[in-house]
């Protein structure tokens, strides 16, 4: 045991006695180095932890039995094992079966290369993970925690997927739905888009900046009541500077993570109309003033993202790139480039030019018209956020219309049962209904 080294790996978001059991076992074999999983490593498979890396590091460094803390940058342990060459790697035996068995196989292979030994200890039972999950969920709904999640995700992930949510129910779907790809990686949406188009449409009103900020925030607060993921708000043109400064304070306090403000002026019309309706772009100087005023009116917690409408209005790429430069200079925390083309070529060209100039300013795409593009292609082109801006509302309308028509046609609802949710499912959907 003397001079022997031991490696363990942890994420310690919520420290519990299972961790202490692991550490106590590990220290029997030698000097323990703990690999602390980074946000990025965790995010590849699980939700981003509540505590950030530095907070979790502080906890780990102060636990008796741990001699050294290193970053575990990948979810897999191979790299650190090959680098640190520990005599032992200690892990709970819960990974023998199930989704982590490949992780185990890779670890064994790496240990074999360096002559290390795997020690598996009985997994600590009876930790109430249900309780821990519940308290983590509650913590992530606190406005400041929810708000900071988007920035942390942007640091931890190459691309964040954001889905439009126009109601608490649509947001519950956006929050909970996930897909496991063939590598066992969990793919889910990272947050919500509060769209001016779908919020207005839901109320049967045109998308012309007619809903006031309180109506928008009432909807968002209802969404916040039943979810925990971050939200990006579409604030249209932001209105008059004097109003914007006041409204942004309210928005920031709500726990929203970002606003996206577009460089148009006058009566706003939806961008996807392009030049088929009268729409006017604000001049660079005035819009830059607006960005600076927005930054001054808020603390740095709310991201102010500037949206460029040049391509929508048929202006050249050069104009969009120039505006991006000026808007970043004025303080914008990110840039959204919009397009109504079917082909993503123009936004890829923009991204190429933008990335040459700014390597780490978040770039946002809204692929409503160029919908054949994949999130992976956008990621490769340098985008950090992809917003699916209206799909939940567009999905619901034809579904409702079809059933309404069917009931009329058949004089009963029997035929529609197959295309709607069952009564028992709807009664079970929301906890507490029973
Ligand atoms: C929205 O969702 O309201 C948007 C995006 O602003 S777009 O409809 O494409 O203009
Ligand atoms: Mg809008």
């Amino acid at each position: 045991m003397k001079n022997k080294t031991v490696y363990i790996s942890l994420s310690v978001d919520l420290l519990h006695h299972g961790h202490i059991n692991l550490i106590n076992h590990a220290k029997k074999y030698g000097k323990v180095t703990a690999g602390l999983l980074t946000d990025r490593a965790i995010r590849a498979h699980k939700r981003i932890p509540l505590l950030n890396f530095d907070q979790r590091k502080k906890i780990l460094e102060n636990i008796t039995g741990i001699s050294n803390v290193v970053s575990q940058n990948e979810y897999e342990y191979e790299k650190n094992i090959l680098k640190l060459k520990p005599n032992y790697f200690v892990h709970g035996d819960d990974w023998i079966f199930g989704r982590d068995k490949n992780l185990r196989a890779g670890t064994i292979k790496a240990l074999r290369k360096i002559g290390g030994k795997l020690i598996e200890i009985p997994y600590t039972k009876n930790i109430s993970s249900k309780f821990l999950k519940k308290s983590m969920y509650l913590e992530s709904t606190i406005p400041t925690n929810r708000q900071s999640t988007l920035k942390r995700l942007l640091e931890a992930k190459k691309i964040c997927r954001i889905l439009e949510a126009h109601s608490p129910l649509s947001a519950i779907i956006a929050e909970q739905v996930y897909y496991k790809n063939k590598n066992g990686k969990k793919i889910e949406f990272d947050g919500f888009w509060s769209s001016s188009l779908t919020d207005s449409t839901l109320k049967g009103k045109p998308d012309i900046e007619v809903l006031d900020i309180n109506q928008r925030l009432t909807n968002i607060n209802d969404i916040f009541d039943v979810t925990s993921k971050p939200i990006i708000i579409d604030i249209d043109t932001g209105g008059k500077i004097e109003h914007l400064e006041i409204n942004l304070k309210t928005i920031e306090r709500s726990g929203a993570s970002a606003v996206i403000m577009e460089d148009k002026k006058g009566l706003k019309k939806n961008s996807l109309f392009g030049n088929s309706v009268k729409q006017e772009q604000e001049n660079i100087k005035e819009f830059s003033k607006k960005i600076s005023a927005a930054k001054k009116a808020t603390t740095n917690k709310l991201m102010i993202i500037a949206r460029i409408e040049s391509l929508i209005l048929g202006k050249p790429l050069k104009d969009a790139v120039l505006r991006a430069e000026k808007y970043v200079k004025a303080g914008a925390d990110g840039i959204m480039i919009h397009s109504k083309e079917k082909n993503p070529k123009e936004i890829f060209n923009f991204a190429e030019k933008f990335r040459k100039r700014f390597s780490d300013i978040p770039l946002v795409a809204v692929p409503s018209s160029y919908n054949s593009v994949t999130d992976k292609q956008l990621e490769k082109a340098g985008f950090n956020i992809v917003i699916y801006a209206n799909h939940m509302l567009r999905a619901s309308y034809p579904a409702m219309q079809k059933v309404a028509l069917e009931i009329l046609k058949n004089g009963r609802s029997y035929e529609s049962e197959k295309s709607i949710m069952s009564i028992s499912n709807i009664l079970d959907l929301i906890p507490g209904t029973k």
Side-chain angles (χ1 to χ4, degrees), residues 153-179:
L153 282 166
L154 284 168
E155 276 168 23
K157 295 189 71 185
K158 288 200 176 121
I159 195 151
C160 295
R161 300 175 184 86
I162 302 292
L163 185 61
E164 171 258 334
H166 53 269
S167 65
L169 196 58
S170 62
I172 287 174
I173 297 173
E175 167 132 335
Q176 293 178 356
V177 74
Y178 69 89
Y179 158 75

Side-chain angles (χ1 to χ4, degrees), residues 86-97:
N87 300 105
Y88 299 100
F89 179 76
V90 182
H91 197 281
D93 64 1
D94 54 317
W95 65 343
I96 294 178
F97 306 105

Side-chain angles (χ1 to χ4, degrees), residues 193 195-197 207 234 236 262 268 270 307:
W193 167 242
S195 152
S196 68
L197 171 65
D207 180 20
D234 168 11
D236 296 317
E262 63 191 76
K268 190 219 87 144
N270 186 276
R307 162 171 165 175

Side-chain angles (χ1 to χ4, degrees), residues 9-111:
S9 184
L10 302 154
S11 56
V12 289
D13 195 15
L14 286 174
L15 186 69
H16 55 66
H17 56 286
H19 296 124
I20 304 298
N21 282 348
L22 177 77
I23 294 162
N24 283 343
H25 261 92
K27 74 180 186 203
K28 288 185 201 154
Y29 292 91
K31 202 169 151 202
V32 180
T33 293
L36 180 63
L37 285 143
T38 58
D39 282 4
R40 186 182 289 242
I42 295 170
R43 188 62 187 88
H45 290 261
K46 297 177 185 166
R47 261 188 94 154
I48 200 157
L50 185 64
L51 302 180
N52 68 32
F53 184 82
D54 291 338
Q55 292 165 330
R56 293 184 286 117
K57 190 162 181 238
K58 207 179 257 177
I59 294 175
L60 209 47
E61 283 170 343
N62 285 289
I63 294 179
T64 317
I66 304 253
S67 305
N68 186 26
V69 179
V70 298
S71 294
Q72 171 69 49
N73 295 318
E74 305 81 26
Y75 192 71
E76 297 74 24
Y77 309 126
E78 283 98 313
K79 257 196 191 160
N80 272 9
I81 287 176
L82 295 178
K83 194 165 120 197
L84 300 167
K85 301 188 176 50
N87 300 105
Y88 299 100
F89 179 76
V90 182
H91 197 281
D93 64 1
D94 54 317
W95 65 343
I96 294 178
F97 306 105
R99 65 169 187 193
D100 280 344
K101 63 177 192 287
N102 290 341
L103 184 65
R104 181 174 184 263
T107 306
I108 291 173
K109 224 164 147 189
L111 284 167

Side-chain angles (χ1 to χ4, degrees), residues 269-287:
K269 291 281 170 76
N270 186 276
S271 301
L272 300 174
F273 284 126
N275 278 328
S276 70
V277 295
K278 189 172 174 286
Q279 311 203 50
E280 225 185 314
Q281 199 172 18
E282 183 58 279
N283 72 54
I284 295 181
K285 214 166 146 200
E286 283 307 309
F287 196 68

